[in-house]
């Protein structure tokens, strides 16, 4: 017999879902048969698998150890170590200031992403054990492009993953960005359009009219600072504060480029001469886009305590080099 005690990390899911993770090589038919025969019980009682689990619940597997080992071959969670810039942490979530150059999630089997670093951090701090990884895996709840820096939310518990996943999916969470664009932007604007994605090339294009494969997009921005050009006749750069009303792949980068203000350092949607200038002038080699703020809407339990709260991530060094100490002091 083996007993499994449900932790806060695993609470909130159905019993059959947890059993499917723990006995990951067993078919659903086997699991439901064991439930019917009371070879698997919940808190000492017969169960059918639809029960929603709470922290402290006890699941007992009245199965031979050989059977459990046969069906419980959980793939090892890859773990990596890196110093993370933690903006906020509680029992359910982490808010991390992701540096440019780091993937939010794996794009390929050999990739190392923020997910693996989060797992390593939680193991090192004791918030997670190797045994926990049999039935729960932490993960990130939103994604930023590899070369975009800023706030990424990660779930430390199932509830954290679920609630954060909901507000990012329904776009009720407010996300704000700083970006450096070419040219002088003199007034706030709300721009609209349609975005179509080409999965083959991982590029998007902005269209005036929607189609079957185009999604409507809305982007708000306001100018914060103007940085004059070094030479007469140049366009200079503007620091913008951007609010995503919709959140589509590469939306900010492609949308601003489509209205004549490409991001500095953007080698996919930007301008070659502009990218060369900021590289030579400021040592910038990536798109100047930073997710600096998240503001939570009203959240359901058990994360209701975060309702209405706002968190900010400081600007990275590339922005500081461009803006200088005087402008940074005014942000």
């Amino acid at each position: 017999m083996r007993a499994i005690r449900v932790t806060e990390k695993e609470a909130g899911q159905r019993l059959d879902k947890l059993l499917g993770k723990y006995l990951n090589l067993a078919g659903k038919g086997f699991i439901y048969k064991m439930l019917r025969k009371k070879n698997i019980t919940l808190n000492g009682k017969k169960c059918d698998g639809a029960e929603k689990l709470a922290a402290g619940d006890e699941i007992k597997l009245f199965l031979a150890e050989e059977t459990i080992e046969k069906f419980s071959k959980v793939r090892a969670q890859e773990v990596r170590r890196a110093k993370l810039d933690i903006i906020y942490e509680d029992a359910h979530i982490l808010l991390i200031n992701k540096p440019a150059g780091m993937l939010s999630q794996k794009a390929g089997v050999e990739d190392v992403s923020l997910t693996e670093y989060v797992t390593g951090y939680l193991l090192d701090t004791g918030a997670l054990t190797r045994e926990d990884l049999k039935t729960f895996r932490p993960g990130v709840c939103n994604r930023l492009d590899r070369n975009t820096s800023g706030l990424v939310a990660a779930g430390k518990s199932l509830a954290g993953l679920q609630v954060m996943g909901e507000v990012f999916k329904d776009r009720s969470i407010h996300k704000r960005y700083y970006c450096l664009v070419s040219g002088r932007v003199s007034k706030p604007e709300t721009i609209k359009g349609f975005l179509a994605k080409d999965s083959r090339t991982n590029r998007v294009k902005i269209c005036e009219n929607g189609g079957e494969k185009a999604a409507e997009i809305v982007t708000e921005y306001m100018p914060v600072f103007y940085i004059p050009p070094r030479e007469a006749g140049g366009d200079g750069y503007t620091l913008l504060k951007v609010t995503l009303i919709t959140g589509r792949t590469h939306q900010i980068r492609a949308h601003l480029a489509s209205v004549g203000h490409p991001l500095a350092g953007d080698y996919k949607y930007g301008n070659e001469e502009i990218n060369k200038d900021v590289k030579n002038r400021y040592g910038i080699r990536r798109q100047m886009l930073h997710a600096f703020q998240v503001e939570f809407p009203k959240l359901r339990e058990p994360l209701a305590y975060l309702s209405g709260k706002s968190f900010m991530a400081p600007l990275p060094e590339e922005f500081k080099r461009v803006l200088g100490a005087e402008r940074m002091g005014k942000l």
Side-chain angles (χ1 to χ4, degrees):
M1 189 275 292
R2 184 178 294 186
I4 304 169
R5 181 74 63 175
V6 177
T7 68
E8 190 70 37
K9 301 179 188 68
E10 301 150 336
Q13 65 185 305
R14 284 169 52 120
L15 171 61
D16 54 3
K17 295 293 185 183
L18 182 141
L19 291 171
K21 297 171 187 175
Y22 198 84
L23 302 172
N24 63 310
L25 297 185
K28 290 183 179 179
F30 174 82
I31 291 174
Y32 288 124
K33 181 180 179 180
M34 295 301 99
L35 289 168
R36 288 194 302 271
K37 296 179 68 173
K38 291 185 66 175
N39 286 341
I40 300 177
T41 63
L42 176 63
N43 297 325
K45 298 178 181 179
K46 186 177 180 179
C47 46
D48 61 15
E51 296 80 5
K52 186 163 282 192
L53 298 173
D57 283 348
E58 185 178 58
I59 303 162
K60 288 186 177 179
L61 308 179
F62 293 96
L63 304 170
E65 281 298 313
E66 293 82 1
T67 301
I68 295 174
E69 292 300 321
K70 175 184 175 182
F71 290 132
S72 186
K73 300 294 183 183
V74 179
R75 179 175 58 85
Q77 171 81 17
E78 186 177 355
V79 176
R80 293 298 180 95
R81 263 70 180 186
K83 183 174 176 57
L84 298 178
D85 184 7
I86 306 296
I87 301 298
Y88 173 79
E89 180 176 7
D90 62 29
H92 293 291
I93 71 164
L94 287 166
L95 294 178
I96 303 141
N97 186 14
K98 183 188 82 70
M102 182 184 288
L103 284 168
S104 299
Q105 293 177 321
K106 282 177 175 288
V109 176
E110 300 302 320
D111 290 334
V112 178
S113 73
L114 182 58
T115 299
E116 288 72 56
Y117 293 126
V118 166
T119 303
Y121 169 79
L122 295 177
L123 287 170
D124 287 344
T125 58
L128 191 69
T129 67
R130 291 279 181 179
E131 186 66 20
D132 290 334
L133 292 175
K134 290 184 177 180
T135 51
F136 171 76
R137 298 199 174 196
V140 300
C141 308
N142 64 302
R143 290 187 290 179
L144 297 176
D145 294 337
R146 181 197 287 265
N147 288 318
T148 296
S149 57
L151 287 169
V152 176
K156 293 175 59 177
S157 68
L158 182 65
L161 287 170
Q162 290 176 334
V163 176
M164 287 294 101
E166 290 166 5
V167 296
F168 279 106
K169 185 176 181 179
D170 67 19
R171 303 189 186 97
S172 58
I173 190 169
H174 300 294
K175 298 175 288 183
R176 299 182 180 93
Y177 297 74
Y178 280 128
C179 63
L180 187 74
V181 300
S182 172
R184 184 163 199 160
V185 180
S186 57
K187 61 179 182 178
E189 295 280 358
T190 298
I191 54 177
K192 300 179 180 181
F194 294 87
L195 179 148
K197 182 178 180 181
D198 185 338
S199 299
R200 182 178 55 84
T201 61
N202 193 31
R203 289 180 63 93
V204 303
K205 64 178 181 178
I206 305 300
C207 317
E208 290 186 5
N209 300 306
E212 286 186 12
K213 296 183 179 180
E216 186 175 9
I217 55 172
V218 183
T219 308
E220 288 184 355
Y221 61 82
M222 63 175 292
V224 181
F225 294 121
Y226 175 64
I227 296 93
R230 286 186 297 181
E231 300 175 1
D235 291 330
Y237 300 95
T238 303
L239 180 73
L240 296 182
K241 182 184 292 186
V242 179
T243 300
L244 282 180
I245 306 304
T246 58
R248 308 291 183 183
T249 302
H250 301 173
Q251 178 178 325
I252 294 175
R253 298 164 62 189
H255 213 181
L256 288 169
S258 74
V259 296
H261 295 293
L263 268 66
D266 190 341
Y267 288 86
K268 181 166 284 189
Y269 302 101
N271 177 282
E272 184 177 349
E273 289 302 314
I274 291 168
N275 294 340
K276 186 183 297 184
D277 179 61
V278 292
K279 181 179 178 181
N280 294 335
R281 189 173 172 183
Y282 301 110
I284 291 168
R285 294 174 171 80
R286 60 96 165 186
Q287 68 251 16
M288 292 290 281
L289 181 61
H290 178 71
F292 79 95
Q293 184 180 34
V294 294
E295 183 180 337
F296 293 119
K298 184 175 181 179
L299 301 177
R300 65 174 175 85
E301 294 293 355
L303 272 69
Y305 58 89
L306 288 172
S307 297
K309 292 189 179 298
S310 176
F311 298 90
M312 299 179 67
L315 283 168
E317 288 301 319
E318 297 99 323
F319 281 84
K320 294 177 182 178
R321 289 201 298 270
V322 176
L323 296 175
E326 183 178 351
R327 293 189 185 95
M328 285 296 300
K330 294 179 181 178
L331 283 178

